Amino acid sequence: MKNNILINYPKANSSPVMVDYRVSNEGKLKTISCAVSNAQILPSWLEMQKFELVALKEKDGYSLLFHEKKFDKNLDTVLFIDQVFERIMEARNQPIN
């Protein structure tokens, strides 16, 4: 992975979770491949260490595409993944819808 980001979840003062990620673009699609770093103690609520996010470029920014597999996980994992997307896009100065 090329980049990493620290995510404090579920609260701003929670121990950060390091996520390594790589971004690729193909036409209007942006794919973000993520892996939670193994060099840390993983939170018990986190049900997956690797995941991929796909966003579609629209007029005003990027929209995260629905991925049914993501919703097979517990609510904390789903919300964490959403926060990862938001923080990566924020760090790259990319607007989201």
Side-chain angles (χ1 to χ4, degrees), residues 25-61:
N25 295 296
E26 187 173 319
K28 290 187 170 193
L29 294 179
K30 179 181 292 292
T31 302
I32 306 170
S33 302
C34 302
V36 175
S37 175
N38 289 332
Q40 61 191 325
I41 296 172
L42 300 177
S44 59
W45 51 261
L46 187 58
E47 292 186 325
M48 56 194 312
Q49 287 184 257
K50 292 184 180 182
F51 51 93
E52 199 167 78
L53 305 164
V54 179
L56 176 66
K57 179 147 177 72
E58 298 180 313
K59 182 180 178 183
D60 296 329

Side-chain angles (χ1 to χ4, degrees), residues 5 10 14 24 29 47 53 57 59 61 64 78 85 91-92:
I5 193 162
S14 297
S24 61
L29 294 179
E47 292 186 325
L53 305 164
K57 179 147 177 72
K59 182 180 178 183
L64 186 59
V78 172
F85 175 71
R92 298 175 67 81

Side-chain angles (χ1 to χ4, degrees), residues 4-5 8 17 23 30 35 37 58 65 69-70 76 83:
N4 60 56
I5 193 162
N8 298 82
V17 176
V23 178
K30 179 181 292 292
S37 175
E58 298 180 313
L65 297 181
K69 184 178 178 183
K70 175 177 130 180
D76 280 320
Q83 189 171 353

